[in-house]
Amino acid sequence: MSAEYATFGLAPAMRAGGVLANGDYQVHRDFVDFIVDGRPLLYQLSDLDAVSPLASDVPPAIFTAQVRSLLLEAEAPLEDGRYVIYGCPECEGIECGAVTAVIEKDDSRDDYVWRDFAWQTGEHADLELNGYHGIGPFRFQGAEYRSALNSLLLGDPGARRRVLLIGARVAVLAKLAAALRTIGIGADITRDATDVPAEELRGYGAVAFGRAVGEQERAAVRGSFERAGVEVAYVDGLAPVVPLLVAQIEHALDRSPHELRRLTRLVAADGEAGIEVTSTCRVQITAYRLDRLYRTHTQEVFDGILEAGRHRIALDAKAVKGESFLVARTSGSVLVDAMAH
């Protein structure tokens, strides 16, 4: 292959939702990301909180229209032949800002070219002021490009964004279910999945167990899913703290390949957080601590930009004493760990 070509692929990705330290909610979005030369294109755009137009929670007709648009089978939605590559994960409106690019076909070589990337908030893109001058142009072989995008039309782009909650503390489960639904994840509560029809079990992507659920009950639930031929992620709840449990479930629902994730390691021990990121990004770390009366104390212990690599971050001793837990998040990943003393 000529050196001027870039490889084109697609991979599942996630914009992690959650209950933030200040009480705000961040919506969960599953989408398909563009993989250019083996690396998510989104990671080349600094610390951008955005999703591609290929989101699994849009209606099938709109999803298909987005794929057809990227194949240039429809008119460009923006002036000058520009297409939205990444948009706002909350509203997807151009007014909030979007990464756009010109997509064109070189019929003489059967290639597709993405060029002139820019940050755009209105009808026109100002390449001089808001252009991504270090990104692209990318030339993709037509057969590879069409094959990747057409494969999305052959399968179900939707993700199983529903969770089964099993535990003894009904009040905590109800709050957890409400929080999950607020960020776009369906949740149901039960103590016995024995008689649940297989077709219903297939709608779940994860099962979360409370700390009080015994091994016999857990085994029975796993058996129900195994008999139904359904593979799900199992979450062992660390503590009855809703934002913490939401983060655990978000991590369990992440379908992106591990090697393509931005946040790949969190180790909480001896008053430090060990973090590994694969590209420069903003990382936020929140500590949750249970006191002797099982009251929850929350503290944001780190918020900053980290370069690619491994980092050791010293933490406030008061925030992580006793039974405590850390949640680390970037725009697309979230990890949880219990503090080891």
Side-chain angles (χ1 to χ4, degrees):
M1 180 182 295
S2 172
E4 68 182 81
Y5 283 97
T7 62
F8 181 84
L10 302 168
M14 178 183 78
R15 190 272 191 144
V19 182
L20 306 182
N22 62 2
D24 289 344
Y25 290 92
Q26 182 171 284
V27 70
H28 172 102
R29 299 294 303 279
D30 289 300
F31 64 100
V32 177
D33 200 3
F34 307 110
I35 309 301
V36 177
D37 284 337
R39 187 165 176 259
L41 179 59
L42 184 59
Y43 293 3
Q44 300 184 41
L45 301 169
S46 187
D47 185 50
L48 184 65
D49 182 16
V51 300
S52 82
L54 305 175
S56 65
D57 53 355
V58 300
I62 295 179
F63 185 92
T64 298
Q66 295 287 10
V67 174
R68 297 297 187 196
S69 178
L70 293 173
L71 288 167
L72 304 186
E73 296 177 4
E75 291 293 325
L78 302 173
E79 292 186 3
D80 303 319
R82 303 190 70 83
Y83 294 77
V84 173
I85 306 300
Y86 295 106
C88 173
E90 300 287 344
C91 70
E92 300 182 12
I94 191 72
E95 300 81 8
C96 289
V99 177
T100 67
V102 174
I103 301 180
E104 58 190 9
K105 192 170 185 294
D106 182 350
D107 290 318
S108 67
R109 301 171 66 175
D110 190 27
D111 296 337
Y112 291 81
V113 178
W114 289 19
R115 62 175 175 84
D116 296 338
F117 287 81
W119 179 254
Q120 189 169 345
T121 57
E123 293 182 6
H124 305 284
D126 188 333
L127 293 179
E128 183 175 348
L129 182 63
N130 297 315
Y132 287 97
H133 302 293
I135 307 298
F138 300 115
R139 179 180 290 271
F140 306 116
Q141 284 194 330
E144 179 183 59
Y145 184 86
R146 287 189 295 270
S147 176
L149 288 169
N150 281 323
S151 69
L152 297 177
L153 304 178
L154 301 177
D156 180 9
R160 291 179 292 164
R161 297 184 302 120
R162 180 169 289 277
V163 181
L164 188 62
L165 307 178
I166 300 175
R169 302 182 64 172
V170 177
V172 173
L173 295 179
K175 292 179 181 178
L176 175 58
L180 289 169
R181 291 167 187 150
T182 299
I183 67 173
I185 298 174
D188 298 305
I189 301 171
T190 188
R191 283 301 297 264
D192 185 3
T194 304
D195 297 323
V196 178
E199 58 269 21
E200 292 187 23
L201 295 180
R202 294 190 184 98
Y204 295 103
V207 176
F209 296 111
R211 294 200 294 188
V213 179
E215 185 52 43
Q216 185 174 353
E217 291 177 279
R218 294 170 187 242
V221 172
R222 292 190 181 98
S224 295
F225 278 90
E226 288 173 2
R227 287 189 295 274
V230 180
E231 292 187 10
V232 295
Y234 293 100
V235 178
D236 294 322
L238 289 174
V241 179
V242 169
L244 179 69
L245 296 172
V246 169
Q248 284 191 266
I249 291 169
E250 280 286 281
H251 174 67
L253 291 175
D254 191 349
R255 301 182 303 125
S256 62
H258 187 269
E259 65 274 12
L260 297 181
R261 297 181 188 181
R262 177 170 267 173
L263 177 62
T264 57
R265 178 176 177 265
L266 170 64
V267 177
D270 301 324
E272 290 186 336
I275 295 284
E276 183 172 8
V277 293
T278 58
S279 64
T280 300
C281 61
R282 179 188 180 192
V283 177
Q284 298 168 290
I285 304 177
T286 305
Y288 296 93
R289 179 175 63 85
L290 293 177
D291 63 21
R292 294 181 179 180
L293 298 177
Y294 287 93
R295 294 173 298 191
T296 302
H297 300 266
T298 304
Q299 183 176 333
E300 189 174 275
V301 293
F302 179 80
D303 187 350
I305 302 296
L306 296 180
E307 301 289 333
R310 291 193 173 190
H311 305 267
R312 294 173 63 180
I313 300 170
L315 305 174
D316 182 349
K318 293 182 180 179
V320 294
K321 68 178 182 180
E323 188 177 14
S324 55
F325 312 88
L326 295 185
V327 173
R329 64 172 64 246
T330 66
S331 60
S333 306
V334 59
L335 291 177
V336 180
D337 197 26
M339 177 62 68
H341 297 280

